[in-house]
Amino acid sequence: MLVSLDHRPIENIEADALVIPAFEGERPPCFTEVLAELFDSGEISGKALEMTLLHRLPGMQARRLLVVGAGKRERFNGVELRKAAGAAVRFLKSKSVRQVVFAPPDGAPAS
């Protein structure tokens, strides 16, 4: 599996799967109506390590979007980022995904 980190706009990233974090109590970047609806309905809550996999969203180059719960923003650090990334890779490995791109949250820790 090829794993990379990308800071481009998420709509322009081509990959088998794009992983974005969602913080508890905060809307993830809602570039699609579908994502906004899932957050508003409570299906995406942002709780730590919660996984929501979406396929072929309109306006996206990536074939899948995995929204990973990152927990509370004030507790988010490098350790939590690594936990979320590891959980995402394990989750996607079972789906036979070959190329994964992580879109880090704004202000993501460097360590």
Side-chain angles (χ1 to χ4, degrees), residues 9-32:
I10 54 180
E11 297 86 359
N12 299 335
I13 297 173
E14 289 187 48
D16 290 337
L18 172 63
V19 180
I20 63 168
F23 291 103
E24 196 170 337
E26 294 180 28
R27 246 184 193 208
C30 293
F31 56 94
T32 70

PDB file of all heavy atoms in Angstrom, residues 9-32:
ATOM      1  N   PRO A   9      -5.767  21.086  -2.194  1.00  0.00           N
ATOM      2  CA  PRO A   9      -7.213  21.032  -1.942  1.00  0.00           C
ATOM      3  C   PRO A   9      -7.716  19.600  -2.133  1.00  0.00           C
ATOM      4  O   PRO A   9      -7.345  18.925  -3.102  1.00  0.00           O
ATOM      5  CB  PRO A   9      -7.800  21.966  -3.005  1.00  0.00           C
ATOM      6  CG  PRO A   9      -6.680  22.887  -3.362  1.00  0.00           C
ATOM      7  CD  PRO A   9      -5.427  22.076  -3.217  1.00  0.00           C
ATOM      8  N   ILE A  10      -8.535  19.127  -1.205  1.00  0.00           N
ATOM      9  CA  ILE A  10      -8.927  17.722  -1.226  1.00  0.00           C
ATOM     10  C   ILE A  10      -9.716  17.328  -2.472  1.00  0.00           C
ATOM     11  O   ILE A  10      -9.686  16.175  -2.864  1.00  0.00           O
ATOM     12  CB  ILE A  10      -9.684  17.321   0.052  1.00  0.00           C
ATOM     13  CG1 ILE A  10     -10.878  18.220   0.316  1.00  0.00           C
ATOM     14  CG2 ILE A  10      -8.761  17.326   1.230  1.00  0.00           C
ATOM     15  CD1 ILE A  10     -11.640  17.870   1.551  1.00  0.00           C
ATOM     16  N   GLU A  11     -10.361  18.275  -3.111  1.00  0.00           N
ATOM     17  CA  GLU A  11     -11.113  17.962  -4.323  1.00  0.00           C
ATOM     18  C   GLU A  11     -10.187  17.562  -5.472  1.00  0.00           C
ATOM     19  O   GLU A  11     -10.600  16.874  -6.402  1.00  0.00           O
ATOM     20  CB  GLU A  11     -11.961  19.156  -4.771  1.00  0.00           C
ATOM     21  CG  GLU A  11     -13.023  19.568  -3.785  1.00  0.00           C
ATOM     22  CD  GLU A  11     -12.504  20.540  -2.720  1.00  0.00           C
ATOM     23  OE1 GLU A  11     -11.301  20.883  -2.724  1.00  0.00           O
ATOM     24  OE2 GLU A  11     -13.313  20.940  -1.879  1.00  0.00           O
ATOM     25  N   ASN A  12      -8.915  17.976  -5.418  1.00  0.00           N
ATOM     26  CA  ASN A  12      -7.972  17.741  -6.515  1.00  0.00           C
ATOM     27  C   ASN A  12      -7.082  16.523  -6.316  1.00  0.00           C
ATOM     28  O   ASN A  12      -6.258  16.229  -7.166  1.00  0.00           O
ATOM     29  CB  ASN A  12      -7.071  18.969  -6.697  1.00  0.00           C
ATOM     30  CG  ASN A  12      -7.860  20.199  -7.054  1.00  0.00           C
ATOM     31  OD1 ASN A  12      -8.953  20.116  -7.602  1.00  0.00           O
ATOM     32  ND2 ASN A  12      -7.335  21.354  -6.725  1.00  0.00           N
ATOM     33  N   ILE A  13      -7.226  15.814  -5.221  1.00  0.00           N
ATOM     34  CA  ILE A  13      -6.340  14.687  -4.926  1.00  0.00           C
ATOM     35  C   ILE A  13      -6.900  13.409  -5.542  1.00  0.00           C
ATOM     36  O   ILE A  13      -8.029  13.026  -5.264  1.00  0.00           O
ATOM     37  CB  ILE A  13      -6.165  14.523  -3.408  1.00  0.00           C
ATOM     38  CG1 ILE A  13      -5.487  15.769  -2.831  1.00  0.00           C
ATOM     39  CG2 ILE A  13      -5.370  13.264  -3.091  1.00  0.00           C
ATOM     40  CD1 ILE A  13      -5.414  15.801  -1.328  1.00  0.00           C
ATOM     41  N   GLU A  14      -6.071  12.775  -6.371  1.00  0.00           N
ATOM     42  CA  GLU A  14      -6.440  11.493  -6.971  1.00  0.00           C
ATOM     43  C   GLU A  14      -5.827  10.372  -6.153  1.00  0.00           C
ATOM     44  O   GLU A  14      -4.626  10.381  -5.896  1.00  0.00           O
ATOM     45  CB  GLU A  14      -5.934  11.408  -8.413  1.00  0.00           C
ATOM     46  CG  GLU A  14      -6.672  12.301  -9.370  1.00  0.00           C
ATOM     47  CD  GLU A  14      -6.249  12.060 -10.805  1.00  0.00           C
ATOM     48  OE1 GLU A  14      -6.200  10.893 -11.220  1.00  0.00           O
ATOM     49  OE2 GLU A  14      -5.958  13.054 -11.472  1.00  0.00           O
ATOM     50  N   ALA A  15      -6.649   9.410  -5.733  1.00  0.00           N
ATOM     51  CA  ALA A  15      -6.171   8.276  -4.943  1.00  0.00           C
ATOM     52  C   ALA A  15      -7.280   7.235  -4.864  1.00  0.00           C
ATOM     53  O   ALA A  15      -8.440   7.530  -5.173  1.00  0.00           O
ATOM     54  CB  ALA A  15      -5.779   8.724  -3.548  1.00  0.00           C
ATOM     55  N   ASP A  16      -6.899   6.026  -4.432  1.00  0.00           N
ATOM     56  CA  ASP A  16      -7.921   5.022  -4.154  1.00  0.00           C
ATOM     57  C   ASP A  16      -8.749   5.463  -2.957  1.00  0.00           C
ATOM     58  O   ASP A  16      -9.949   5.235  -2.903  1.00  0.00           O
ATOM     59  CB  ASP A  16      -7.285   3.661  -3.855  1.00  0.00           C
ATOM     60  CG  ASP A  16      -6.660   3.024  -5.083  1.00  0.00           C
ATOM     61  OD1 ASP A  16      -7.061   3.368  -6.214  1.00  0.00           O
ATOM     62  OD2 ASP A  16      -5.771   2.166  -4.911  1.00  0.00           O
ATOM     63  N   ALA A  17      -8.073   6.083  -1.981  1.00  0.00           N
ATOM     64  CA  ALA A  17      -8.777   6.567  -0.793  1.00  0.00           C
ATOM     65  C   ALA A  17      -8.120   7.835  -0.278  1.00  0.00           C
ATOM     66  O   ALA A  17      -6.896   7.933  -0.218  1.00  0.00           O
ATOM     67  CB  ALA A  17      -8.775   5.510   0.299  1.00  0.00           C
ATOM     68  N   LEU A  18      -8.930   8.782   0.089  1.00  0.00           N
ATOM     69  CA  LEU A  18      -8.499  10.026   0.713  1.00  0.00           C
ATOM     70  C   LEU A  18      -8.993   9.981   2.154  1.00  0.00           C
ATOM     71  O   LEU A  18     -10.161   9.677   2.402  1.00  0.00           O
ATOM     72  CB  LEU A  18      -9.099  11.222  -0.018  1.00  0.00           C
ATOM     73  CG  LEU A  18      -8.891  12.588   0.616  1.00  0.00           C
ATOM     74  CD1 LEU A  18      -7.406  12.948   0.667  1.00  0.00           C
ATOM     75  CD2 LEU A  18      -9.660  13.645  -0.151  1.00  0.00           C
ATOM     76  N   VAL A  19      -8.113  10.241   3.110  1.00  0.00           N
ATOM     77  CA  VAL A  19      -8.464  10.207   4.533  1.00  0.00           C
ATOM     78  C   VAL A  19      -8.452  11.624   5.077  1.00  0.00           C
ATOM     79  O   VAL A  19      -7.456  12.328   4.940  1.00  0.00           O
ATOM     80  CB  VAL A  19      -7.467   9.323   5.317  1.00  0.00           C
ATOM     81  CG1 VAL A  19      -7.831   9.296   6.798  1.00  0.00           C
ATOM     82  CG2 VAL A  19      -7.418   7.914   4.738  1.00  0.00           C
ATOM     83  N   ILE A  20      -9.575  12.025   5.677  1.00  0.00           N
ATOM     84  CA  ILE A  20      -9.632  13.336   6.332  1.00  0.00           C
ATOM     85  C   ILE A  20     -10.096  13.135   7.775  1.00  0.00           C
ATOM     86  O   ILE A  20     -10.920  12.268   8.055  1.00  0.00           O
ATOM     87  CB  ILE A  20     -10.564  14.334   5.603  1.00  0.00           C
ATOM     88  CG1 ILE A  20     -12.010  13.852   5.589  1.00  0.00           C
ATOM     89  CG2 ILE A  20     -10.079  14.631   4.213  1.00  0.00           C
ATOM     90  CD1 ILE A  20     -12.998  14.916   5.154  1.00  0.00           C
ATOM     91  N   PRO A  21      -9.559  13.911   8.695  1.00  0.00           N
ATOM     92  CA  PRO A  21      -9.990  13.812  10.083  1.00  0.00           C
ATOM     93  C   PRO A  21     -11.225  14.673  10.343  1.00  0.00           C
ATOM     94  O   PRO A  21     -11.457  15.665   9.658  1.00  0.00           O
ATOM     95  CB  PRO A  21      -8.792  14.356  10.860  1.00  0.00           C
ATOM     96  CG  PRO A  21      -8.189  15.348   9.919  1.00  0.00           C
ATOM     97  CD  PRO A  21      -8.425  14.806   8.528  1.00  0.00           C
ATOM     98  N   ALA A  22     -12.003  14.242  11.329  1.00  0.00           N
ATOM     99  CA  ALA A  22     -13.148  15.036  11.784  1.00  0.00           C
ATOM    100  C   ALA A  22     -13.052  15.130  13.296  1.00  0.00           C
ATOM    101  O   ALA A  22     -12.881  14.112  13.974  1.00  0.00           O
ATOM    102  CB  ALA A  22     -14.456  14.377  11.379  1.00  0.00           C
ATOM    103  N   PHE A  23     -13.119  16.340  13.820  1.00  0.00           N
ATOM    104  CA  PHE A  23     -13.031  16.536  15.262  1.00  0.00           C
ATOM    105  C   PHE A  23     -14.415  16.473  15.889  1.00  0.00           C
ATOM    106  O   PHE A  23     -15.406  16.898  15.295  1.00  0.00           O
ATOM    107  CB  PHE A  23     -12.374  17.878  15.586  1.00  0.00           C
ATOM    108  CG  PHE A  23     -10.919  17.906  15.228  1.00  0.00           C
ATOM    109  CD1 PHE A  23     -10.494  18.554  14.081  1.00  0.00           C
ATOM    110  CD2 PHE A  23      -9.987  17.260  16.021  1.00  0.00           C
ATOM    111  CE1 PHE A  23      -9.159  18.577  13.737  1.00  0.00           C
ATOM    112  CE2 PHE A  23      -8.646  17.275  15.680  1.00  0.00           C
ATOM    113  CZ  PHE A  23      -8.226  17.931  14.543  1.00  0.00           C
ATOM    114  N   GLU A  24     -14.453  15.964  17.104  1.00  0.00           N
ATOM    115  CA  GLU A  24     -15.703  15.822  17.832  1.00  0.00           C
ATOM    116  C   GLU A  24     -16.343  17.191  18.040  1.00  0.00           C
ATOM    117  O   GLU A  24     -15.689  18.137  18.490  1.00  0.00           O
ATOM    118  CB  GLU A  24     -15.414  15.168  19.184  1.00  0.00           C
ATOM    119  CG  GLU A  24     -16.628  14.630  19.866  1.00  0.00           C
ATOM    120  CD  GLU A  24     -16.279  13.774  21.068  1.00  0.00           C
ATOM    121  OE1 GLU A  24     -15.154  13.230  21.142  1.00  0.00           O
ATOM    122  OE2 GLU A  24     -17.149  13.671  21.946  1.00  0.00           O
ATOM    123  N   GLY A  25     -17.606  17.293  17.642  1.00  0.00           N
ATOM    124  CA  GLY A  25     -18.342  18.544  17.814  1.00  0.00           C
ATOM    125  C   GLY A  25     -18.061  19.599  16.766  1.00  0.00           C
ATOM    126  O   GLY A  25     -18.593  20.697  16.851  1.00  0.00           O
ATOM    127  N   GLU A  26     -17.226  19.285  15.762  1.00  0.00           N
ATOM    128  CA  GLU A  26     -16.912  20.245  14.696  1.00  0.00           C
ATOM    129  C   GLU A  26     -17.232  19.615  13.352  1.00  0.00           C
ATOM    130  O   GLU A  26     -16.907  18.467  13.113  1.00  0.00           O
ATOM    131  CB  GLU A  26     -15.423  20.603  14.695  1.00  0.00           C
ATOM    132  CG  GLU A  26     -14.949  21.342  15.904  1.00  0.00           C
ATOM    133  CD  GLU A  26     -13.466  21.660  15.820  1.00  0.00           C
ATOM    134  OE1 GLU A  26     -12.933  21.804  14.701  1.00  0.00           O
ATOM    135  OE2 GLU A  26     -12.841  21.748  16.885  1.00  0.00           O
ATOM    136  N   ARG A  27     -17.833  20.390  12.499  1.00  0.00           N
ATOM    137  CA  ARG A  27     -18.095  19.909  11.143  1.00  0.00           C
ATOM    138  C   ARG A  27     -16.790  19.725  10.382  1.00  0.00           C
ATOM    139  O   ARG A  27     -15.945  20.617  10.387  1.00  0.00           O
ATOM    140  CB  ARG A  27     -18.903  20.944  10.385  1.00  0.00           C
ATOM    141  CG  ARG A  27     -20.267  20.506  10.032  1.00  0.00           C
ATOM    142  CD  ARG A  27     -20.912  21.590   9.208  1.00  0.00           C
ATOM    143  NE  ARG A  27     -22.312  21.283   9.150  1.00  0.00           N
ATOM    144  CZ  ARG A  27     -23.083  21.636   8.164  1.00  0.00           C
ATOM    145  NH1 ARG A  27     -22.622  22.367   7.187  1.00  0.00           N
ATOM    146  NH2 ARG A  27     -24.339  21.299   8.158  1.00  0.00           N
ATOM    147  N   PRO A  28     -16.635  18.576   9.710  1.00  0.00           N
ATOM    148  CA  PRO A  28     -15.457  18.451   8.844  1.00  0.00           C
ATOM    149  C   PRO A  28     -15.603  19.380   7.648  1.00  0.00           C
ATOM    150  O   PRO A  28     -16.687  19.929   7.423  1.00  0.00           O
ATOM    151  CB  PRO A  28     -15.484  16.977   8.416  1.00  0.00           C
ATOM    152  CG  PRO A  28     -16.875  16.518   8.644  1.00  0.00           C
ATOM    153  CD  PRO A  28     -17.471  17.401   9.698  1.00  0.00           C
ATOM    154  N   PRO A  29     -14.542  19.582   6.866  1.00  0.00           N
ATOM    155  CA  PRO A  29     -14.661  20.465   5.701  1.00  0.00           C
ATOM    156  C   PRO A  29     -15.776  19.952   4.785  1.00  0.00           C
ATOM    157  O   PRO A  29     -15.626  18.906   4.171  1.00  0.00           O
ATOM    158  CB  PRO A  29     -13.304  20.389   5.015  1.00  0.00           C
ATOM    159  CG  PRO A  29     -12.443  19.553   5.874  1.00  0.00           C
ATOM    160  CD  PRO A  29     -13.254  18.959   6.968  1.00  0.00           C
ATOM    161  N   CYS A  30     -16.895  20.646   4.767  1.00  0.00           N
ATOM    162  CA  CYS A  30     -18.061  20.156   4.023  1.00  0.00           C
ATOM    163  C   CYS A  30     -18.030  20.646   2.593  1.00  0.00           C
ATOM    164  O   CYS A  30     -18.666  21.634   2.244  1.00  0.00           O
ATOM    165  CB  CYS A  30     -19.349  20.578   4.724  1.00  0.00           C
ATOM    166  SG  CYS A  30     -19.548  19.786   6.310  1.00  0.00           S
ATOM    167  N   PHE A  31     -17.271  19.950   1.778  1.00  0.00           N
ATOM    168  CA  PHE A  31     -17.205  20.316   0.375  1.00  0.00           C
ATOM    169  C   PHE A  31     -18.293  19.617  -0.419  1.00  0.00           C
ATOM    170  O   PHE A  31     -18.446  19.854  -1.591  1.00  0.00           O
ATOM    171  CB  PHE A  31     -15.817  20.000  -0.202  1.00  0.00           C
ATOM    172  CG  PHE A  31     -15.419  18.570  -0.018  1.00  0.00           C
ATOM    173  CD1 PHE A  31     -15.662  17.647  -1.004  1.00  0.00           C
ATOM    174  CD2 PHE A  31     -14.817  18.163   1.144  1.00  0.00           C
ATOM    175  CE1 PHE A  31     -15.312  16.333  -0.829  1.00  0.00           C
ATOM    176  CE2 PHE A  31     -14.458  16.848   1.316  1.00  0.00           C
ATOM    177  CZ  PHE A  31     -14.703  15.929   0.333  1.00  0.00           C
ATOM    178  N   THR A  32     -19.048  18.729   0.220  1.00  0.00           N
ATOM    179  CA  THR A  32     -20.194  18.117  -0.449  1.00  0.00           C
ATOM    180  C   THR A  32     -21.401  18.159   0.488  1.00  0.00           C
ATOM    181  O   THR A  32     -21.256  18.138   1.714  1.00  0.00           O
ATOM    182  CB  THR A  32     -19.943  16.639  -0.839  1.00  0.00           C
ATOM    183  OG1 THR A  32     -19.906  15.845   0.344  1.00  0.00           O
ATOM    184  CG2 THR A  32     -18.663  16.476  -1.627  1.00  0.00           C
TER     185      THR A  32
END
